[in-house]
Amino acid sequence: MILLTGGLGYLGSHMAAQIIEQGHEVVLVDNLSNSKIAVLDRLSQLTGRDISFVKIDVRDKAAMQEVFSQYPITQVVHFAGSKSVNESIQQPLDYYDNNVNSLISLLHVMKEAQVKTIVFSSTAAIYGEPESLPIPESARQAPITPYGRSKQICEQILQDFSNAEQGWKIAVLRYFNPAGAHSSGIIGEVPNGIPNNLVPYIAQVARDERPFLQVFGNDYNTIDGTGVRDFIHVQDLIDGHTKALAWLSTQPQAFEVLNLGRGEGVSVKQMLDAFSKAVGHELPYKVVARRDGDSASVYADASRANCLLGWQATRTVDEMAIDTWRFYEKLA
Ligand SMILES: NC(=O)c1ccc[n+]([C@@H]2O[C@H](COP(=O)([O-])OP(=O)(O)OC[C@H]3O[C@@H](n4cnc5c(N)ncnc54)[C@H](O)[C@@H]3O)[C@@H](O)[C@H]2O)c1
């Protein structure tokens, strides 16, 4: 059985849908700090199954021990965490507390329960301003926000833990820019408040919830002057997780760090155009000043995940836009 922490969030819910479809047993835990219980109903609707869910905070050790004694868990994917780059600048202690302490607590409980496989959600934010492109896993790490630094600390903890313990199988996955939604349109990303990420923001413009997209700078040295990022379809990203779990299960012991991206840059304007096409009309935007700390271009060298796992992202930017819109169009 696979435990997904943060299982009702954006990525956790897509992973739940995929692994249930593949016939795995799953239990989800989530404290609902950035998700809604309605996602559980949607997952049941999508999979036709009752899904085991426990509402707890991963930092609550006693509650997590109870989960491990109640369910026959063999593998864990640790999605739970706080992910807003901007919020982390305002609330650094909350970010370090949630991201670092939830991992430490989880590892203690897993160790006690003798469950030794974990996939950890890390981020391209760990790299900061890239020295060269595409970015390999070995690139310099220079995160510029408490969020990125909290994930860097988590990676270090996992590395130290792996060095000290026998038989642990650990994959650290550094995500670039997850976007898109399940092709059913039943689950997707529902941000609380103002979205931090481009795609949900564009979706809100398409729903007339926001008047226009703010494009932060159009004078970068990129294809059309707007910032370039490595958007990756959420289903491709989740494929990377299931392949990582399968690979780990064949290893006696492992510690691997892998980039998950398409390995291709797409500009903000190109994403906006893909979305306009999906919606069927031009979406409004205004160019405003660059934001501090934004890089011109960020995209992955994802060849290591390809070599090790036989994984490669295949879905296009158009598919990300179409799938996102299918979800948002129906959203109440
Ligand atoms: N989505 C992205 O753009 C992105 C990019 C890079 C890395 N990540 C990382 O991937 C992970 C999942 O991201 P997401 O987009 O699904 O985020 P999300 O906010 O949608 O999902 C995270 C879930 O974890 C829950 N949660 C948070 N803290 C918890 C705690 N202490 N105990 C129990 N539940 C808790 C939240 O309620 C939420 O449902 C995060 O760790 C995030 O930092 C995300």
Side-chain angles (χ1 to χ4, degrees), residues 13 56 75 96 101 131 143 148 168 183 216 220 229 233-234 238 255 265 280 299 315 324 327 330:
S13 58
I56 45 171
Q75 297 180 307
Y96 286 115
N101 288 335
E131 287 182 311
W168 277 71
S183 58
F216 298 106
Y220 287 107
R229 295 293 177 270
H233 197 294
V234 62
I238 298 307
F255 179 82
Y299 53 91
R315 293 161 179 92
T324 306
F327 171 70
K330 290 202 230 167

Side-chain angles (χ1 to χ4, degrees), residues 41 100 113 162 170 175 253 271-272:
D41 297 334
V100 178
S162 163
I170 300 174
Y175 314 150
Q253 170 144 3
M271 180 54 93
L272 183 67

Side-chain angles (χ1 to χ4, degrees), residues 5-12 29-35 56-59 78-83 98-99 102 121-124 147 151 175-178 189 197:
T5 73
L8 293 186
Y10 174 39
L11 305 180
V29 304
D30 203 299
N31 66 0
L32 302 181
S33 58
N34 196 37
S35 53
I56 45 171
D57 193 298
V58 179
R59 289 165 295 183
H78 183 40
F79 289 112
S82 304
K83 68 165 175 176
N98 198 25
N99 292 352
S102 68
S121 297
S122 191
T123 169
Y147 168 69
K151 293 287 186 176
Y175 314 150
F176 279 67
N177 295 75
E189 181 176 18
N197 295 337

